[in-house]
Amino acid sequence: MGGNDQQAYDRGTSLFSPDGRIYQVEYAREAVSRGAPSVGVRTADGVVFVAMSRPSSTLMEAESIEKLHKLDDHLGTASAGHVADARQLIDLARRQSQGNRLRYGEAVGVETLTKFVTDHIQENTQRGGTRPYGAALLIGGIDNGEPRLFAADPSGTPNEWKATVIGGGRQDIQGHLEDEWTEGLSLDAGVELAIAALAAHDDEFEPADLAVATVTEADGYRTVPVEEVDEAFEAAGLTTGDDEDDEADADADEADADADDTDDEE
């Protein structure tokens, strides 16, 4: 009987277990933790989003992987977890942002939009016939001239952050952010910090495996081109596969030269 009771709580999307847990929400969080990581960093000039968007196959078009999205001119978001669930939440946020402009003639606040989305997420943990969203979002932008960054998890809890990560490798990445984030960080330094934080968990990636976007008061939401990502990659102290190949070729050439010198001496 005890096993059957456990299964009943396990299957119920809106039931608390005797120890106060909602298992389906915990499973949704696990789905997020198995996704590719996305990092958000609040800087003095704006908000930085960096997401791992590595294709799972050489036959997949990298451009088809969408981890970063524009919500409004002053708002952006990064996702982790089930992509289809995340897209539903992103569409909801876009409609709310557009509706706010039509209804009130002004841009929606970052915190206001985040709480609207998290209220919707929370409803799916309380109503029967639905399941929690298996996705988490980072929502960031400019609010009255000030950069702000929020995270929304499958429980529907909104938290404001200076820098954070959603998705896999949270412990390593968050630890690096906590050690290296400082007040007054510039936008470029924020991009470098986010890339270095991802490398703290997995350093086997190239600049092309990253999606990078910034939100500032001057430029609004901006997708960072690959050339600038390459520069930030190098500034973060990381090397690409091409650089390693060049170093290996140089070492091989040097070894060949030494061998030739030895032959000449003999």
Side-chain angles (χ1 to χ4, degrees):
M1 291 295 291
N4 292 334
D5 290 342
Q6 179 70 29
Q7 289 180 3
Y9 293 117
D10 189 88
R11 293 170 182 170
T13 60
S14 58
L15 293 176
F16 284 102
S17 69
D19 57 349
R21 299 162 62 185
I22 301 178
Y23 289 107
Q24 291 298 318
V25 172
E26 295 184 15
Y27 299 154
R29 285 177 174 152
E30 181 64 24
V32 171
S33 70
R34 292 174 182 269
S38 297
V39 176
V41 178
R42 192 184 75 194
T43 71
D45 305 316
V47 177
V48 171
F49 295 111
V50 178
M52 189 72 71
S53 60
R54 180 189 296 152
S56 58
S57 169
T58 55
L59 300 178
M60 180 183 291
E61 291 287 354
E63 292 77 11
S64 66
I65 303 174
E66 294 182 297
K67 295 294 297 292
L68 307 181
H69 303 263
K70 178 180 178 180
L71 301 179
D72 202 340
D73 292 338
H74 69 299
L75 278 169
T77 186
S79 65
H82 284 291
V83 176
D85 286 10
R87 289 188 65 85
Q88 291 297 311
L89 295 174
I90 291 163
D91 288 344
L92 175 74
R94 284 172 170 167
R95 289 195 300 270
Q96 179 65 13
S97 181
Q98 293 168 6
N100 196 88
R101 285 188 180 274
L102 290 172
R103 187 175 298 112
Y104 302 111
E106 62 183 18
V108 68
V110 182
E111 183 175 5
T112 301
L113 181 65
T114 301
K115 289 186 175 180
F116 175 83
V117 173
T118 53
D119 284 348
H120 176 77
I121 295 172
Q122 190 276 335
E123 287 180 8
N124 278 33
T125 70
Q126 193 173 357
R127 296 185 306 183
T130 63
R131 64 163 175 78
Y133 285 93
L137 297 179
L138 297 177
I139 301 175
I142 307 299
D143 205 346
N144 296 321
E146 293 294 326
R148 302 190 72 180
L149 174 67
F150 289 84
D153 81 341
S155 71
T157 303
N159 291 307
E160 186 167 8
W161 294 84
K162 298 172 183 176
T164 190
V165 57
I166 54 176
R170 177 175 175 79
Q171 184 173 356
D172 295 333
I173 297 171
Q174 190 66 35
H176 185 90
L177 293 173
E178 290 173 358
D179 291 339
E180 301 298 331
W181 187 91
T182 59
E183 292 284 353
L185 203 66
S186 69
L187 198 68
D188 290 340
V191 175
E192 295 165 16
L193 171 61
I195 294 174
L198 288 173
H201 169 66
D202 175 14
D203 58 359
E204 297 294 327
F205 64 87
E206 304 288 332
D209 297 330
L210 301 176
V212 182
T214 60
V215 186
T216 62
E217 188 172 19
D219 299 328
Y221 182 91
R222 174 177 178 264
T223 300
V224 178
V226 176
E227 295 77 14
E228 294 183 28
V229 177
D230 288 338
E231 295 174 1
F233 201 82
E234 294 178 2
L238 304 175
T239 57
T240 66
D242 292 339
D243 293 337
E244 294 174 353
D245 291 341
D246 291 342
E247 292 177 2
D249 291 342
D251 292 340
D253 292 341
E254 184 176 349
D256 290 341
D258 292 340
D260 291 340
D261 292 341
T262 302
D263 292 340
D264 292 341
E265 290 174 1
E266 293 176 351

PDB file of all heavy atoms in Angstrom, residues 32 82 141 148:
ATOM      1  N   VAL A  32      15.368  20.598 -16.740  1.00  0.00           N
ATOM      2  CA  VAL A  32      16.139  21.818 -16.998  1.00  0.00           C
ATOM      3  C   VAL A  32      17.627  21.566 -16.777  1.00  0.00           C
ATOM      4  O   VAL A  32      18.477  21.992 -17.571  1.00  0.00           O
ATOM      5  CB  VAL A  32      15.658  22.968 -16.087  1.00  0.00           C
ATOM      6  CG1 VAL A  32      16.589  24.174 -16.197  1.00  0.00           C
ATOM      7  CG2 VAL A  32      14.234  23.376 -16.450  1.00  0.00           C
ATOM      8  N   HIS A  82      13.393  21.899 -21.951  1.00  0.00           N
ATOM      9  CA  HIS A  82      12.635  21.494 -23.131  1.00  0.00           C
ATOM     10  C   HIS A  82      12.361  22.714 -24.013  1.00  0.00           C
ATOM     11  O   HIS A  82      11.696  23.664 -23.591  1.00  0.00           O
ATOM     12  CB  HIS A  82      11.316  20.838 -22.729  1.00  0.00           C
ATOM     13  CG  HIS A  82      11.468  19.433 -22.239  1.00  0.00           C
ATOM     14  ND1 HIS A  82      11.821  18.387 -23.070  1.00  0.00           N
ATOM     15  CD2 HIS A  82      11.332  18.896 -21.004  1.00  0.00           C
ATOM     16  CE1 HIS A  82      11.891  17.271 -22.368  1.00  0.00           C
ATOM     17  NE2 HIS A  82      11.606  17.553 -21.116  1.00  0.00           N
ATOM     18  N   GLY A 141      16.735  42.963 -19.014  1.00  0.00           N
ATOM     19  CA  GLY A 141      16.553  44.143 -19.855  1.00  0.00           C
ATOM     20  C   GLY A 141      16.789  45.421 -19.077  1.00  0.00           C
ATOM     21  O   GLY A 141      17.361  45.407 -17.981  1.00  0.00           O
ATOM     22  N   ARG A 148      18.390  44.993 -15.320  1.00  0.00           N
ATOM     23  CA  ARG A 148      17.842  44.051 -14.342  1.00  0.00           C
ATOM     24  C   ARG A 148      17.798  42.657 -14.956  1.00  0.00           C
ATOM     25  O   ARG A 148      17.575  42.512 -16.157  1.00  0.00           O
ATOM     26  CB  ARG A 148      16.446  44.487 -13.882  1.00  0.00           C
ATOM     27  CG  ARG A 148      16.411  45.861 -13.273  1.00  0.00           C
ATOM     28  CD  ARG A 148      15.071  46.152 -12.616  1.00  0.00           C
ATOM     29  NE  ARG A 148      14.890  45.389 -11.373  1.00  0.00           N
ATOM     30  CZ  ARG A 148      13.793  45.468 -10.616  1.00  0.00           C
ATOM     31  NH1 ARG A 148      12.783  46.239 -10.998  1.00  0.00           N
ATOM     32  NH2 ARG A 148      13.695  44.768  -9.504  1.00  0.00           N
TER      33      ARG A 148
END
